[in-house]
Amino acid sequence: MLDMELIRKDRDAVATALAKRLDPAEVSRALDELQQLDQQRRSLITEIDGERQRRKAEARAYAEAKRAGREPEVATPEAGRKQLAELEAELDEVQARLRDRMSELPNLPADDVVPGGKEANRVVRTFGEPPAIEQVRDHVELSRALGLVDHERGVKLGGSGFWMYTGLGARLEWALLNWLIEQNIAAGYEFLLPPHLLLDSAGFAAGQFPKFYDDVYHLDRQSAPRGQFLLPTAETAILGAYQDEILDTGKLPLKAFAYTPCYRREAAGSHSDERGTVRGHQFNKVEIFQFTLPEQADAALTAMVGHVESLVEKLGLHHQTSLLAAGDASASMKKTLDIEVWMPSTGKYKEVSSVSWAGDYQARRAAIRYREPGGKQTRFVHTLNGSALATSRLFPAILEQFQQADGSVLIPEVLRDRLGTDRLTPAR
């Protein structure tokens, strides 16, 4: 959520930043409405404060007259209660409308984030070269030939958009997860295993609700009166775990990570680059997260991107890192860099991690603050998150980039001890 004080003080700067994501006319209308609601809110607060002071003065005069045995010249203290209640009810309504409108606005993109969509994304780094493969087979064909993924039984169990890892495929998926967990612990992140069912408040705090409310799986209100949903990413859980807290300044940056399955209502993908395990309604992901002081955020973003890149490099996968344009990044984020692996079968890069900096946008929604040493006033922390990594896309990248002419697939060196072999071979 944006800072209303910033909108009051520097509307032009806010409008310019939002115009990287939204139509300028839409931005102008939204800011006009926000400022009108804000003025109403402030006027009502002033009126209510004045009414309360007036009532206090009248109550004192009434009590003094009674003690002195005089007939009070003012009405009883209860006389103004109805008017005050009406003003307070009006303030509650205006504040709710203001909060709703504020929650609909996206974050302000960072200065170096350009407007536009995917076409404006910029590659900032590349690792390695695309492997030379004479006859490329895609990961779906390879996983079937090697007995790694049972797509048909996955659909039988969960419907379209689900799959089931089998045999060495299940072991490869689990080896990846265990290796990623160890790597993130070594990088100084605390390991968490959060609930998979979260309250709606966590979705709002992360900035996913209300805009993407329909993109997740919700429990019905009879089963979950407070509102519950299956987490779409561990980012939502880690952030939500610290809602309404004042963090110890001396412990910032606070670094945590979690492994969870992720549950999403993904649009059915018929394109060749979305087949197999690339896009589905349930997939595994390890997510890293940092809560920082504002002045720590830039260094934290650089470190997180470097850490994720190092994971993909250790797996030996050719990849690139792209700085996303404003229109291609999540609405909650100021700045996002995608780490994208090469998929030989499509000749395209596919994102395996988005590392993002939200500024204080999420912390403001979640009321996560810190108190400066020796001070009483609190400030909002900055939050950053990134996949480290999404295995449902690492898995096909490994199959495709390391496929051999004889139909086998080489295992990345860092995983060989876990699988007890250096290659996957077709069943004879």
Side-chain angles (χ1 to χ4, degrees):
M1 189 177 295
L2 300 183
D3 183 358
M4 190 65 226
E5 184 177 353
L6 177 62
I7 296 173
R8 285 197 297 266
K9 289 182 175 180
D10 200 349
R11 170 178 167 141
D12 289 346
V14 172
T16 299
L18 286 175
K20 290 182 177 182
R21 284 191 156 127
L22 304 172
D23 177 75
E26 181 185 349
V27 171
S28 182
R29 287 192 298 270
L31 294 182
D32 282 345
E33 183 179 10
L34 285 175
Q35 290 189 296
Q36 289 168 7
L37 288 169
D38 181 52
Q39 185 57 50
Q40 279 183 264
R41 181 185 68 86
R42 297 167 77 190
S43 296
L44 283 166
I45 289 172
T46 300
E47 190 174 356
I48 288 169
D49 287 344
E51 181 65 20
R52 285 173 176 161
Q53 292 300 320
R54 185 183 66 79
R55 287 186 61 207
K56 286 180 182 179
E58 289 181 350
R60 284 195 298 269
Y62 183 90
E64 288 171 2
K66 283 293 189 181
R67 283 195 298 270
R70 302 191 312 269
E71 185 65 27
E73 296 179 3
V74 295
T76 61
E78 288 77 18
R81 187 169 294 166
K82 182 178 179 182
Q83 181 182 359
L84 183 60
E86 289 174 352
L87 287 170
E88 289 174 336
E90 186 179 354
L91 176 61
D92 288 343
E93 180 184 350
V94 169
Q95 289 187 144
R97 287 168 58 199
L98 178 60
R99 181 177 173 84
D100 286 346
R101 297 297 179 271
M102 288 288 286
S103 71
E104 292 168 359
L105 280 180
N107 204 344
L108 305 181
D111 292 342
D112 60 342
V113 173
V114 301
K118 288 182 182 295
E119 75 287 346
N121 293 347
R122 178 170 62 89
V123 176
V124 295
R125 271 184 303 282
T126 301
F127 173 79
E129 298 290 338
I133 304 170
E134 190 171 330
Q135 290 186 322
V136 176
R137 288 173 294 173
D138 71 26
H139 58 279
V140 177
E141 179 185 351
L142 288 164
S143 65
R144 284 187 172 133
L146 297 168
L148 307 177
V149 181
D150 193 326
H151 297 281
E152 290 73 20
R153 289 192 173 95
V155 172
K156 183 191 295 186
L157 285 170
S160 178
F162 292 88
W163 59 84
M164 182 169 67
Y165 295 107
T166 57
L168 277 171
R171 288 176 59 189
L172 175 58
E173 174 76 0
W174 211 244
L176 275 168
L177 291 168
N178 278 320
W179 180 74
L180 291 170
I181 287 168
E182 291 176 3
Q183 292 294 306
N184 289 319
I185 290 172
Y189 290 84
E190 181 183 13
F191 188 18
L192 307 177
L193 285 174
H196 297 181
L197 276 173
L198 306 179
L199 294 172
D200 282 358
S201 57
F204 177 84
Q208 290 152 349
F209 298 170
K211 185 174 182 179
F212 300 108
Y213 186 85
D214 293 331
D215 291 352
V216 302
Y217 293 97
H218 296 272
L219 270 66
D220 63 85
R221 287 289 173 174
Q222 185 175 356
S223 302
R226 294 177 62 188
Q228 278 182 300
F229 64 101
L230 281 167
L231 61 76
T233 167
E235 169 200 342
T236 316
I238 299 173
L239 176 78
Y242 290 88
Q243 289 177 87
D244 304 312
E245 293 190 22
I246 299 175
L247 304 182
D248 184 342
T249 306
K251 294 183 179 178
L252 296 177
L254 190 161
K255 301 165 65 176
F257 82 97
Y259 154 69
T260 66
C262 301
Y263 308 92
R264 300 183 186 178
R265 293 182 181 275
E266 294 280 10
S270 57
H271 300 294
S272 60
D273 60 340
E274 294 188 347
R275 296 178 64 224
T277 67
V278 170
R279 184 177 297 276
H281 301 303
Q282 177 186 329
F283 58 93
N284 293 317
K285 183 156 68 77
V286 178
E287 185 83 4
I288 55 175
F289 201 98
Q290 287 200 37
F291 300 88
T292 75
L293 299 174
E295 59 268 26
Q296 296 170 334
D298 188 58
L301 179 63
T302 299
M304 290 173 74
V305 172
H307 172 59
V308 173
E309 288 174 331
S310 74
L311 296 176
V312 188
E313 289 174 16
K314 288 175 183 176
L315 290 168
L317 293 169
H318 167 58
H319 66 277
Q320 67 181 21
T321 300
S322 298
L323 175 62
L324 300 194
D328 196 31
S330 166
S332 300
M333 300 302 157
K334 288 180 71 67
K335 185 174 181 177
T336 296
L337 291 103
D338 275 4
I339 289 81
E340 305 158 330
V341 292
W342 175 251
M343 301 296 290
S345 66
T346 61
K348 297 178 181 179
Y349 292 90
K350 206 68 179 175
E351 173 248 318
V352 290
S353 175
S354 285
V355 182
S356 301
W357 167 40
D360 64 5
Y361 185 90
Q362 292 179 321
R364 193 175 294 277
R365 297 170 77 102
I368 305 173
R369 296 146 290 157
Y370 69 96
R371 182 175 286 112
E372 294 187 352
K376 292 183 178 180
Q377 190 173 4
T378 61
R379 296 177 63 193
F380 292 106
V381 300
H382 281 209
T383 58
L384 304 97
N385 72 86
S387 304
L389 293 158
T391 55
S392 61
R393 293 185 175 180
L394 278 181
F395 192 103
I398 288 170
L399 296 186
E400 291 199 9
Q401 289 200 33
F402 296 146
Q403 61 182 293
Q404 304 298 301
D406 64 359
S408 66
V409 171
L410 295 180
I411 299 293
E413 289 187 20
V414 295
L415 302 178
R416 289 176 182 177
D417 286 348
R418 297 170 189 274
L419 290 173
T421 182
D422 64 351
R423 71 179 61 223
L424 304 170
T425 56
R428 302 262 179 214

